[in-house]
Amino acid sequence: MSNIDARERLIAALDLPGVGEARRKVEELEGVVSFFKIGLTLQLAPGVERLIQDLIRGGKRVFLDYKYYDIPETVKTAVSRAVDLGVSFLTVHGSTPVIEGAVKGRGSSDLKLFAVTVLTSMDKGDLAELGYRDLSVEELVLFRARKALEAGCDGVIASGREARQVKELAMGEGGSRLLVVTPGIRPDGYAEDDQKRRTTPAGAIVAGADYLVIGRPIVGAADSREAAERILAEMKEAFGKKPRAMVAED
Ligand code: C5P
């Protein structure tokens, strides 16, 4: 049985129109959520850099989900800028030269790099549309996860449906060498929105997810605090059921 603190493993996505709304949401979630994802929704919002600094100064952790994809040198410089800001997690696209650039930019810092495998809003039809006609979603996720591991990533972003196989492909002596961050989480009874490869909070954790990223079911709820607490209770129970070897302590 694991003694993981579910609160350390819940990341609320601050997908809100502006920094003011994001600050109010963080306040509303004070004492319940302490890890926040800032992504493309806020990327160009005035004051976002200051928001990130304030969150970190206030003891929160920040996951910068900017999904970097560019030539290695540019990615390296962009990642070193994220290191200067003090964010904890950062996403890059799962292609080897991009990841290698990111690993150089991260240097000896504690920043954890995550490769995006296949967006949780995509299914087989979307992959065919991108030209991947001979690969299933699962095959592409696992292919990219393997590449991410080889190139030096700390983990991948993958849906709960592939989490178990991702953890298993990276199994080493001390447990899995890849952390899995899972979006596309929908509590039972909640709308699916645009997420095609959904799992419940408990389903994702039991499958192998180490962290859950949850946006609308928390930040869009009438009572975000209550929604987060309900999800945390489900996460706590699921972590409790997980064998210790399946849990990454970091
Ligand atoms: O509102 P919802 O819970 O669907 O939000 C999920 C968050 O996770 C969004 O911020 C989205 O950008 C992000 N994400 C995702 N699928 C990925 C990578 C990131 O949904 N593969």
Side-chain angles (χ1 to χ4, degrees):
M1 298 288 261
S2 84
N3 53 0
I4 289 289
D5 182 355
R7 280 170 200 257
E8 303 280 316
R9 303 308 182 98
L10 172 61
I11 306 173
L14 291 174
D15 293 332
L16 291 158
V19 165
E21 289 91 338
R23 285 184 186 277
R24 282 194 288 283
K25 196 54 75 180
V26 170
E27 258 173 50
E28 196 182 329
L29 291 167
E30 182 63 46
V32 181
V33 178
S34 60
F35 205 158
F36 294 95
K37 182 175 90 81
I38 295 188
L40 301 185
T41 317
L42 283 177
Q43 190 177 31
L44 293 179
V48 73
E49 189 173 338
R50 187 64 196 273
L51 167 68
I52 294 169
Q53 289 165 335
D54 289 346
L55 283 171
I56 294 168
R57 274 194 212 112
K60 314 281 192 282
R61 294 210 283 164
V62 173
F63 169 10
L64 199 61
D65 184 22
Y66 283 2
K67 301 184 175 71
Y68 286 142
Y69 187 73
D70 209 317
I71 59 168
E73 188 60 26
T74 304
V75 170
K76 177 182 137 195
T77 312
V79 171
S80 66
R81 183 71 195 97
V83 169
D84 294 343
L85 262 178
V87 303
S88 300
F89 288 6
L90 180 76
T91 42
V92 295
H93 274 278
S95 106
T96 303
V98 177
I99 298 171
E100 286 173 349
V103 168
K104 282 192 191 138
R106 180 251 311 267
S108 58
S109 74
D110 291 336
L111 174 69
K112 290 206 187 305
L113 293 169
F114 290 86
V116 176
T117 54
V118 175
L119 294 174
T120 43
S121 58
M122 297 174 86
D123 62 13
K124 191 159 172 48
D126 297 295
L127 288 195
E129 215 270 322
L130 282 173
Y132 296 100
R133 287 177 205 286
D134 301 327
L135 281 181
S136 67
V137 170
E138 196 180 285
E139 283 165 339
L140 187 55
V141 168
L142 294 177
F143 175 78
R144 288 183 170 166
R146 199 168 293 115
K147 290 278 181 194
L149 177 66
E150 285 164 11
C153 257
D154 299 285
V156 299
I157 313 294
S159 93
R161 301 186 188 189
E162 302 95 33
R164 183 180 306 282
Q165 282 164 291
V166 170
K167 294 296 283 188
E168 282 171 4
L169 82 82
M171 209 47 92
E173 272 180 27
S176 183
R177 287 169 294 147
L178 277 179
L179 290 167
V180 172
V181 172
T182 298
I185 301 295
R186 290 294 178 267
D188 268 337
Y190 190 91
E192 60 191 55
D193 301 318
D194 50 358
Q195 296 287 15
K196 293 182 186 161
R197 297 190 345 273
R198 302 174 295 279
T199 36
T200 61
I205 288 169
V206 170
D210 297 296
Y211 292 83
L212 304 187
V213 171
I214 308 185
R216 287 162 286 187
I218 292 179
V219 302
D223 184 340
S224 293
R225 222 182 146 79
E226 194 264 339
E229 274 168 347
R230 208 156 3 95
I231 287 168
L232 276 170
E234 184 176 333
M235 289 174 69
K236 191 169 171 219
E237 203 188 326
F239 273 124
K241 284 186 194 151
K242 230 161 119 153
R244 216 183 161 84
M246 280 289 284
V247 179
E249 297 292 337
D250 186 10

mmCIF file with all atom_site columns, all heavy atoms in Angstrom, residues 7 39 55-56 81 90-91 96 106 113 130-131 136 138 145 156 172 176 194-195 209 216 238-239 247:
data_model
loop_
_atom_site.group_PDB
_atom_site.id
_atom_site.type_symbol
_atom_site.label_atom_id
_atom_site.label_alt_id
_atom_site.label_comp_id
_atom_site.label_asym_id
_atom_site.label_entity_id
_atom_site.label_seq_id
_atom_site.pdbx_PDB_ins_code
_atom_site.Cartn_x
_atom_site.Cartn_y
_atom_site.Cartn_z
_atom_site.occupancy
_atom_site.B_iso_or_equiv
_atom_site.pdbx_formal_charge
_atom_site.auth_seq_id
_atom_site.auth_comp_id
_atom_site.auth_asym_id
_atom_site.auth_atom_id
_atom_site.pdbx_PDB_model_num
ATOM 1   N N   . ARG A 1 7   ? -2.887  15.180 -2.439  1.00 0.00 ? 7   ARG A N   1
ATOM 2   C CA  . ARG A 1 7   ? -2.812  16.628 -2.693  1.00 0.00 ? 7   ARG A CA  1
ATOM 3   C C   . ARG A 1 7   ? -1.588  17.028 -3.500  1.00 0.00 ? 7   ARG A C   1
ATOM 4   O O   . ARG A 1 7   ? -1.582  18.028 -4.194  1.00 0.00 ? 7   ARG A O   1
ATOM 5   C CB  . ARG A 1 7   ? -2.792  17.395 -1.371  1.00 0.00 ? 7   ARG A CB  1
ATOM 6   C CG  . ARG A 1 7   ? -4.161  17.529 -0.783  1.00 0.00 ? 7   ARG A CG  1
ATOM 7   C CD  . ARG A 1 7   ? -4.073  18.060 0.631   1.00 0.00 ? 7   ARG A CD  1
ATOM 8   N NE  . ARG A 1 7   ? -5.308  17.725 1.284   1.00 0.00 ? 7   ARG A NE  1
ATOM 9   C CZ  . ARG A 1 7   ? -6.290  18.589 1.510   1.00 0.00 ? 7   ARG A CZ  1
ATOM 10  N NH1 . ARG A 1 7   ? -6.150  19.847 1.185   1.00 0.00 ? 7   ARG A NH1 1
ATOM 11  N NH2 . ARG A 1 7   ? -7.405  18.211 2.073   1.00 0.00 ? 7   ARG A NH2 1
ATOM 12  N N   . GLY A 1 39  ? -1.147  27.080 -19.144 1.00 0.00 ? 39  GLY A N   1
ATOM 13  C CA  . GLY A 1 39  ? -0.937  26.638 -20.518 1.00 0.00 ? 39  GLY A CA  1
ATOM 14  C C   . GLY A 1 39  ? -1.261  27.732 -21.513 1.00 0.00 ? 39  GLY A C   1
ATOM 15  O O   . GLY A 1 39  ? -1.223  28.932 -21.198 1.00 0.00 ? 39  GLY A O   1
ATOM 16  N N   . LEU A 1 55  ? 2.964   32.673 -7.598  1.00 0.00 ? 55  LEU A N   1
ATOM 17  C CA  . LEU A 1 55  ? 2.550   31.333 -7.169  1.00 0.00 ? 55  LEU A CA  1
ATOM 18  C C   . LEU A 1 55  ? 3.733   30.615 -6.514  1.00 0.00 ? 55  LEU A C   1
ATOM 19  O O   . LEU A 1 55  ? 3.598   30.033 -5.435  1.00 0.00 ? 55  LEU A O   1
ATOM 20  C CB  . LEU A 1 55  ? 2.061   30.515 -8.372  1.00 0.00 ? 55  LEU A CB  1
ATOM 21  C CG  . LEU A 1 55  ? 0.662   30.845 -8.899  1.00 0.00 ? 55  LEU A CG  1
ATOM 22  C CD1 . LEU A 1 55  ? 0.409   30.122 -10.221 1.00 0.00 ? 55  LEU A CD1 1
ATOM 23  C CD2 . LEU A 1 55  ? -0.407  30.457 -7.893  1.00 0.00 ? 55  LEU A CD2 1
ATOM 24  N N   . ILE A 1 56  ? 4.883   30.691 -7.178  1.00 0.00 ? 56  ILE A N   1
ATOM 25  C CA  . ILE A 1 56  ? 6.054   29.966 -6.660  1.00 0.00 ? 56  ILE A CA  1
ATOM 26  C C   . ILE A 1 56  ? 6.507   30.581 -5.329  1.00 0.00 ? 56  ILE A C   1
ATOM 27  O O   . ILE A 1 56  ? 6.778   29.861 -4.360  1.00 0.00 ? 56  ILE A O   1
ATOM 28  C CB  . ILE A 1 56  ? 7.180   29.936 -7.717  1.00 0.00 ? 56  ILE A CB  1
ATOM 29  C CG1 . ILE A 1 56  ? 6.698   29.094 -8.918  1.00 0.00 ? 56  ILE A CG1 1
ATOM 30  C CG2 . ILE A 1 56  ? 8.472   29.372 -7.139  1.00 0.00 ? 56  ILE A CG2 1
ATOM 31  C CD1 . ILE A 1 56  ? 7.553   29.196 -10.157 1.00 0.00 ? 56  ILE A CD1 1
ATOM 32  N N   . ARG A 1 81  ? 14.914  29.379 -19.796 1.00 0.00 ? 81  ARG A N   1
ATOM 33  C CA  . ARG A 1 81  ? 14.122  30.514 -19.283 1.00 0.00 ? 81  ARG A CA  1
ATOM 34  C C   . ARG A 1 81  ? 13.086  30.014 -18.259 1.00 0.00 ? 81  ARG A C   1
ATOM 35  O O   . ARG A 1 81  ? 12.854  30.640 -17.233 1.00 0.00 ? 81  ARG A O   1
ATOM 36  C CB  . ARG A 1 81  ? 13.456  31.179 -20.501 1.00 0.00 ? 81  ARG A CB  1
ATOM 37  C CG  . ARG A 1 81  ? 12.662  32.379 -20.278 1.00 0.00 ? 81  ARG A CG  1
ATOM 38  C CD  . ARG A 1 81  ? 13.504  33.602 -19.927 1.00 0.00 ? 81  ARG A CD  1
ATOM 39  N NE  . ARG A 1 81  ? 12.580  34.593 -19.389 1.00 0.00 ? 81  ARG A NE  1
ATOM 40  C CZ  . ARG A 1 81  ? 12.374  34.796 -18.116 1.00 0.00 ? 81  ARG A CZ  1
ATOM 41  N NH1 . ARG A 1 81  ? 13.058  34.143 -17.202 1.00 0.00 ? 81  ARG A NH1 1
ATOM 42  N NH2 . ARG A 1 81  ? 11.497  35.694 -17.724 1.00 0.00 ? 81  ARG A NH2 1
ATOM 43  N N   . LEU A 1 90  ? 7.423   20.962 -17.120 1.00 0.00 ? 90  LEU A N   1
ATOM 44  C CA  . LEU A 1 90  ? 7.307   21.644 -18.416 1.00 0.00 ? 90  LEU A CA  1
ATOM 45  C C   . LEU A 1 90  ? 7.059   20.591 -19.497 1.00 0.00 ? 90  LEU A C   1
ATOM 46  O O   . LEU A 1 90  ? 7.642   19.511 -19.451 1.00 0.00 ? 90  LEU A O   1
ATOM 47  C CB  . LEU A 1 90  ? 8.615   22.378 -18.705 1.00 0.00 ? 90  LEU A CB  1
ATOM 48  C CG  . LEU A 1 90  ? 8.713   23.153 -20.009 1.00 0.00 ? 90  LEU A CG  1
ATOM 49  C CD1 . LEU A 1 90  ? 7.938   24.467 -19.926 1.00 0.00 ? 90  LEU A CD1 1
ATOM 50  C CD2 . LEU A 1 90  ? 10.171  23.468 -20.342 1.00 0.00 ? 90  LEU A CD2 1
ATOM 51  N N   . THR A 1 91  ? 6.212   20.941 -20.482 1.00 0.00 ? 91  THR A N   1
ATOM 52  C CA  . THR A 1 91  ? 5.966   19.991 -21.578 1.00 0.00 ? 91  THR A CA  1
ATOM 53  C C   . THR A 1 91  ? 6.703   20.384 -22.851 1.00 0.00 ? 91  THR A C   1
ATOM 54  O O   . THR A 1 91  ? 6.828   21.564 -23.188 1.00 0.00 ? 91  THR A O   1
ATOM 55  C CB  . THR A 1 91  ? 4.466   19.902 -21.924 1.00 0.00 ? 91  THR A CB  1
ATOM 56  O OG1 . THR A 1 91  ? 3.897   21.209 -21.924 1.00 0.00 ? 91  THR A OG1 1
ATOM 57  C CG2 . THR A 1 91  ? 3.731   19.005 -20.979 1.00 0.00 ? 91  THR A CG2 1
ATOM 58  N N   . THR A 1 96  ? 12.627  13.303 -30.765 1.00 0.00 ? 96  THR A N   1
ATOM 59  C CA  . THR A 1 96  ? 13.944  13.204 -30.125 1.00 0.00 ? 96  THR A CA  1
ATOM 60  C C   . THR A 1 96  ? 14.767  14.501 -30.123 1.00 0.00 ? 96  THR A C   1
ATOM 61  O O   . THR A 1 96  ? 15.234  14.916 -29.060 1.00 0.00 ? 96  THR A O   1
ATOM 62  C CB  . THR A 1 96  ? 14.736  12.026 -30.742 1.00 0.00 ? 96  THR A CB  1
ATOM 63  O OG1 . THR A 1 96  ? 13.939  10.855 -30.562 1.00 0.00 ? 96  THR A OG1 1
ATOM 64  C CG2 . THR A 1 96  ? 16.074  11.829 -30.066 1.00 0.00 ? 96  THR A CG2 1
ATOM 65  N N   . ARG A 1 106 ? 17.515  22.322 -19.599 1.00 0.00 ? 106 ARG A N   1
ATOM 66  C CA  . ARG A 1 106 ? 17.186  22.042 -18.199 1.00 0.00 ? 106 ARG A CA  1
ATOM 67  C C   . ARG A 1 106 ? 18.463  21.978 -17.354 1.00 0.00 ? 106 ARG A C   1
ATOM 68  O O   . ARG A 1 106 ? 18.465  22.310 -16.172 1.00 0.00 ? 106 ARG A O   1
ATOM 69  C CB  . ARG A 1 106 ? 16.410  20.720 -18.156 1.00 0.00 ? 106 ARG A CB  1
ATOM 70  C CG  . ARG A 1 106 ? 15.995  20.274 -16.791 1.00 0.00 ? 106 ARG A CG  1
ATOM 71  C CD  . ARG A 1 106 ? 16.732  19.080 -16.249 1.00 0.00 ? 106 ARG A CD  1
ATOM 72  N NE  . ARG A 1 106 ? 16.853  17.940 -17.096 1.00 0.00 ? 106 ARG A NE  1
ATOM 73  C CZ  . ARG A 1 106 ? 16.016  16.904 -17.116 1.00 0.00 ? 106 ARG A CZ  1
ATOM 74  N NH1 . ARG A 1 106 ? 14.958  16.923 -16.369 1.00 0.00 ? 106 ARG A NH1 1
ATOM 75  N NH2 . ARG A 1 106 ? 16.269  15.872 -17.886 1.00 0.00 ? 106 ARG A NH2 1
ATOM 76  N N   . LEU A 1 113 ? 10.898  17.341 -17.142 1.00 0.00 ? 113 LEU A N   1
ATOM 77  C CA  . LEU A 1 113 ? 10.440  17.489 -18.523 1.00 0.00 ? 113 LEU A CA  1
ATOM 78  C C   . LEU A 1 113 ? 9.492   16.352 -18.894 1.00 0.00 ? 113 LEU A C   1
ATOM 79  O O   . LEU A 1 113 ? 9.803   15.177 -18.663 1.00 0.00 ? 113 LEU A O   1
ATOM 80  C CB  . LEU A 1 113 ? 11.640  17.445 -19.468 1.00 0.00 ? 113 LEU A CB  1
ATOM 81  C CG  . LEU A 1 113 ? 12.609  18.621 -19.368 1.00 0.00 ? 113 LEU A CG  1
ATOM 82  C CD1 . LEU A 1 113 ? 13.874  18.325 -20.156 1.00 0.00 ? 113 LEU A CD1 1
ATOM 83  C CD2 . LEU A 1 113 ? 11.938  19.901 -19.889 1.00 0.00 ? 113 LEU A CD2 1
ATOM 84  N N   . LEU A 1 130 ? -3.781  13.008 -39.530 1.00 0.00 ? 130 LEU A N   1
ATOM 85  C CA  . LEU A 1 130 ? -2.417  13.550 -39.457 1.00 0.00 ? 130 LEU A CA  1
ATOM 86  C C   . LEU A 1 130 ? -1.433  12.743 -40.307 1.00 0.00 ? 130 LEU A C   1
ATOM 87  O O   . LEU A 1 130 ? -0.252  13.068 -40.371 1.00 0.00 ? 130 LEU A O   1
ATOM 88  C CB  . LEU A 1 130 ? -1.917  13.518 -38.006 1.00 0.00 ? 130 LEU A CB  1
ATOM 89  C CG  . LEU A 1 130 ? -2.411  14.604 -37.064 1.00 0.00 ? 130 LEU A CG  1
ATOM 90  C CD1 . LEU A 1 130 ? -1.936  14.303 -35.644 1.00 0.00 ? 130 LEU A CD1 1
ATOM 91  C CD2 . LEU A 1 130 ? -1.877  15.964 -37.497 1.00 0.00 ? 130 LEU A CD2 1
ATOM 92  N N   . GLY A 1 131 ? -1.920  11.651 -40.904 1.00 0.00 ? 131 GLY A N   1
ATOM 93  C CA  . GLY A 1 131 ? -1.056  10.832 -41.753 1.00 0.00 ? 131 GLY A CA  1
ATOM 94  C C   . GLY A 1 131 ? -0.571  9.558  -41.085 1.00 0.00 ? 131 GLY A C   1
ATOM 95  O O   . GLY A 1 131 ? 0.139   8.764  -41.679 1.00 0.00 ? 131 GLY A O   1
ATOM 96  N N   . SER A 1 136 ? -1.982  2.524  -34.208 1.00 0.00 ? 136 SER A N   1
ATOM 97  C CA  . SER A 1 136 ? -3.096  2.810  -33.296 1.00 0.00 ? 136 SER A CA  1
ATOM 98  C C   . SER A 1 136 ? -2.628  3.913  -32.337 1.00 0.00 ? 136 SER A C   1
ATOM 99  O O   . SER A 1 136 ? -1.425  4.192  -32.231 1.00 0.00 ? 136 SER A O   1
ATOM 100 C CB  . SER A 1 136 ? -3.463  1.551  -32.504 1.00 0.00 ? 136 SER A CB  1
ATOM 101 O OG  . SER A 1 136 ? -2.401  1.225  -31.638 1.00 0.00 ? 136 SER A OG  1
ATOM 102 N N   . GLU A 1 138 ? -2.548  3.786  -29.183 1.00 0.00 ? 138 GLU A N   1
ATOM 103 C CA  . GLU A 1 138 ? -1.712  3.151  -28.165 1.00 0.00 ? 138 GLU A CA  1
ATOM 104 C C   . GLU A 1 138 ? -0.283  2.919  -28.679 1.00 0.00 ? 138 GLU A C   1
ATOM 105 O O   . GLU A 1 138 ? 0.698   3.185  -27.970 1.00 0.00 ? 138 GLU A O   1
ATOM 106 C CB  . GLU A 1 138 ? -2.366  1.820  -27.840 1.00 0.00 ? 138 GLU A CB  1
ATOM 107 C CG  . GLU A 1 138 ? -1.904  1.181  -26.588 1.00 0.00 ? 138 GLU A CG  1
ATOM 108 C CD  . GLU A 1 138 ? -2.656  -0.125 -26.437 1.00 0.00 ? 138 GLU A CD  1
ATOM 109 O OE1 . GLU A 1 138 ? -3.848  -0.074 -26.077 1.00 0.00 ? 138 GLU A OE1 1
ATOM 110 O OE2 . GLU A 1 138 ? -2.056  -1.178 -26.715 1.00 0.00 ? 138 GLU A OE2 1
ATOM 111 N N   . ALA A 1 145 ? 6.696   7.397  -25.994 1.00 0.00 ? 145 ALA A N   1
ATOM 112 C CA  . ALA A 1 145 ? 7.139   7.278  -24.596 1.00 0.00 ? 145 ALA A CA  1
ATOM 113 C C   . ALA A 1 145 ? 8.533   6.655  -24.546 1.00 0.00 ? 145 ALA A C   1
ATOM 114 O O   . ALA A 1 145 ? 9.403   7.097  -23.792 1.00 0.00 ? 145 ALA A O   1
ATOM 115 C CB  . ALA A 1 145 ? 6.146   6.440  -23.801 1.00 0.00 ? 145 ALA A CB  1
ATOM 116 N N   . VAL A 1 156 ? 5.979   11.407 -19.301 1.00 0.00 ? 156 VAL A N   1
ATOM 117 C CA  . VAL A 1 156 ? 5.161   11.713 -20.482 1.00 0.00 ? 156 VAL A CA  1
ATOM 118 C C   . VAL A 1 156 ? 3.766   12.129 -20.042 1.00 0.00 ? 156 VAL A C   1
ATOM 119 O O   . VAL A 1 156 ? 3.332   11.834 -18.928 1.00 0.00 ? 156 VAL A O   1
ATOM 120 C CB  . VAL A 1 156 ? 5.041   10.505 -21.452 1.00 0.00 ? 156 VAL A CB  1
ATOM 121 C CG1 . VAL A 1 156 ? 6.395   10.086 -21.980 1.00 0.00 ? 156 VAL A CG1 1
ATOM 122 C CG2 . VAL A 1 156 ? 4.319   9.347  -20.800 1.00 0.00 ? 156 VAL A CG2 1
ATOM 123 N N   . GLY A 1 172 ? 12.271  -0.314 -14.385 1.00 0.00 ? 172 GLY A N   1
ATOM 124 C CA  . GLY A 1 172 ? 13.674  -0.603 -14.091 1.00 0.00 ? 172 GLY A CA  1
ATOM 125 C C   . GLY A 1 172 ? 13.746  -1.255 -12.723 1.00 0.00 ? 172 GLY A C   1
ATOM 126 O O   . GLY A 1 172 ? 12.719  -1.670 -12.178 1.00 0.00 ? 172 GLY A O   1
ATOM 127 N N   . SER A 1 176 ? 9.239   2.166  -12.147 1.00 0.00 ? 176 SER A N   1
ATOM 128 C CA  . SER A 1 176 ? 9.212   2.745  -13.488 1.00 0.00 ? 176 SER A CA  1
ATOM 129 C C   . SER A 1 176 ? 10.051  4.022  -13.533 1.00 0.00 ? 176 SER A C   1
ATOM 130 O O   . SER A 1 176 ? 10.018  4.837  -12.621 1.00 0.00 ? 176 SER A O   1
ATOM 131 C CB  . SER A 1 176 ? 7.770   3.075  -13.881 1.00 0.00 ? 176 SER A CB  1
ATOM 132 O OG  . SER A 1 176 ? 7.750   3.575  -15.193 1.00 0.00 ? 176 SER A OG  1
ATOM 133 N N   . ASP A 1 194 ? -14.373 17.987 -25.041 1.00 0.00 ? 194 ASP A N   1
ATOM 134 C CA  . ASP A 1 194 ? -13.650 17.575 -26.258 1.00 0.00 ? 194 ASP A CA  1
ATOM 135 C C   . ASP A 1 194 ? -12.669 16.441 -25.984 1.00 0.00 ? 194 ASP A C   1
ATOM 136 O O   . ASP A 1 194 ? -11.835 16.128 -26.827 1.00 0.00 ? 194 ASP A O   1
ATOM 137 C CB  . ASP A 1 194 ? -12.904 18.783 -26.843 1.00 0.00 ? 194 ASP A CB  1
ATOM 138 C CG  . ASP A 1 194 ? -12.069 19.526 -25.805 1.00 0.00 ? 194 ASP A CG  1
ATOM 139 O OD1 . ASP A 1 194 ? -12.098 19.131 -24.619 1.00 0.00 ? 194 ASP A OD1 1
ATOM 140 O OD2 . ASP A 1 194 ? -11.381 20.486 -26.172 1.00 0.00 ? 194 ASP A OD2 1
ATOM 141 N N   . GLN A 1 195 ? -12.723 15.831 -24.807 1.00 0.00 ? 195 GLN A N   1
ATOM 142 C CA  . GLN A 1 195 ? -11.752 14.791 -24.450 1.00 0.00 ? 195 GLN A CA  1
ATOM 143 C C   . GLN A 1 195 ? -12.247 13.429 -24.919 1.00 0.00 ? 195 GLN A C   1
ATOM 144 O O   . GLN A 1 195 ? -13.234 12.907 -24.409 1.00 0.00 ? 195 GLN A O   1
ATOM 145 C CB  . GLN A 1 195 ? -11.524 14.775 -22.926 1.00 0.00 ? 195 GLN A CB  1
ATOM 146 C CG  . GLN A 1 195 ? -10.912 16.049 -22.378 1.00 0.00 ? 195 GLN A CG  1
ATOM 147 C CD  . GLN A 1 195 ? -9.434  16.205 -22.731 1.00 0.00 ? 195 GLN A CD  1
ATOM 148 O OE1 . GLN A 1 195 ? -8.901  15.520 -23.622 1.00 0.00 ? 195 GLN A OE1 1
ATOM 149 N NE2 . GLN A 1 195 ? -8.754  17.110 -22.057 1.00 0.00 ? 195 GLN A NE2 1
ATOM 150 N N   . ALA A 1 209 ? -1.278  6.317  -13.526 1.00 0.00 ? 209 ALA A N   1
ATOM 151 C CA  . ALA A 1 209 ? -0.975  7.760  -13.534 1.00 0.00 ? 209 ALA A CA  1
ATOM 152 C C   . ALA A 1 209 ? -0.358  8.179  -12.197 1.00 0.00 ? 209 ALA A C   1
ATOM 153 O O   . ALA A 1 209 ? -0.804  7.748  -11.136 1.00 0.00 ? 209 ALA A O   1
ATOM 154 C CB  . ALA A 1 209 ? -2.242  8.562  -13.790 1.00 0.00 ? 209 ALA A CB  1
ATOM 155 N N   . ARG A 1 216 ? -11.555 21.791 -16.502 1.00 0.00 ? 216 ARG A N   1
ATOM 156 C CA  . ARG A 1 216 ? -12.968 22.156 -16.352 1.00 0.00 ? 216 ARG A CA  1
ATOM 157 C C   . ARG A 1 216 ? -13.719 21.514 -15.190 1.00 0.00 ? 216 ARG A C   1
ATOM 158 O O   . ARG A 1 216 ? -14.494 22.223 -14.538 1.00 0.00 ? 216 ARG A O   1
ATOM 159 C CB  . ARG A 1 216 ? -13.688 21.927 -17.699 1.00 0.00 ? 216 ARG A CB  1
ATOM 160 C CG  . ARG A 1 216 ? -13.285 22.984 -18.716 1.00 0.00 ? 216 ARG A CG  1
ATOM 161 C CD  . ARG A 1 216 ? -13.593 22.573 -20.131 1.00 0.00 ? 216 ARG A CD  1
ATOM 162 N NE  . ARG A 1 216 ? -12.661 21.558 -20.604 1.00 0.00 ? 216 ARG A NE  1
ATOM 163 C CZ  . ARG A 1 216 ? -12.592 21.103 -21.853 1.00 0.00 ? 216 ARG A CZ  1
ATOM 164 N NH1 . ARG A 1 216 ? -13.440 21.565 -22.761 1.00 0.00 ? 216 ARG A NH1 1
ATOM 165 N NH2 . ARG A 1 216 ? -11.699 20.197 -22.203 1.00 0.00 ? 216 ARG A NH2 1
ATOM 166 N N   . ALA A 1 238 ? -7.878  5.664  -4.393  1.00 0.00 ? 238 ALA A N   1
ATOM 167 C CA  . ALA A 1 238 ? -7.225  4.914  -5.477  1.00 0.00 ? 238 ALA A CA  1
ATOM 168 C C   . ALA A 1 238 ? -5.735  4.720  -5.198  1.00 0.00 ? 238 ALA A C   1
ATOM 169 O O   . ALA A 1 238 ? -5.190  3.642  -5.414  1.00 0.00 ? 238 ALA A O   1
ATOM 170 C CB  . ALA A 1 238 ? -7.427  5.634  -6.804  1.00 0.00 ? 238 ALA A CB  1
ATOM 171 N N   . PHE A 1 239 ? -5.058  5.764  -4.681  1.00 0.00 ? 239 PHE A N   1
ATOM 172 C CA  . PHE A 1 239 ? -3.629  5.610  -4.355  1.00 0.00 ? 239 PHE A CA  1
ATOM 173 C C   . PHE A 1 239 ? -3.461  4.549  -3.263  1.00 0.00 ? 239 PHE A C   1
ATOM 174 O O   . PHE A 1 239 ? -2.508  3.794  -3.258  1.00 0.00 ? 239 PHE A O   1
ATOM 175 C CB  . PHE A 1 239 ? -3.026  6.937  -3.891  1.00 0.00 ? 239 PHE A CB  1
ATOM 176 C CG  . PHE A 1 239 ? -2.518  7.801  -5.018  1.00 0.00 ? 239 PHE A CG  1
ATOM 177 C CD1 . PHE A 1 239 ? -2.982  9.100  -5.188  1.00 0.00 ? 239 PHE A CD1 1
ATOM 178 C CD2 . PHE A 1 239 ? -1.562  7.320  -5.913  1.00 0.00 ? 239 PHE A CD2 1
ATOM 179 C CE1 . PHE A 1 239 ? -2.516  9.901  -6.229  1.00 0.00 ? 239 PHE A CE1 1
ATOM 180 C CE2 . PHE A 1 239 ? -1.084  8.115  -6.957  1.00 0.00 ? 239 PHE A CE2 1
ATOM 181 C CZ  . PHE A 1 239 ? -1.566  9.411  -7.116  1.00 0.00 ? 239 PHE A CZ  1
ATOM 182 N N   . VAL A 1 247 ? 3.943   2.974  -7.667  1.00 0.00 ? 247 VAL A N   1
ATOM 183 C CA  . VAL A 1 247 ? 3.859   4.379  -7.316  1.00 0.00 ? 247 VAL A CA  1
ATOM 184 C C   . VAL A 1 247 ? 5.226   5.027  -7.356  1.00 0.00 ? 247 VAL A C   1
ATOM 185 O O   . VAL A 1 247 ? 6.180   4.511  -6.790  1.00 0.00 ? 247 VAL A O   1
ATOM 186 C CB  . VAL A 1 247 ? 3.264   4.544  -5.892  1.00 0.00 ? 247 VAL A CB  1
ATOM 187 C CG1 . VAL A 1 247 ? 3.198   5.990  -5.505  1.00 0.00 ? 247 VAL A CG1 1
ATOM 188 C CG2 . VAL A 1 247 ? 1.872   3.932  -5.844  1.00 0.00 ? 247 VAL A CG2 1
#
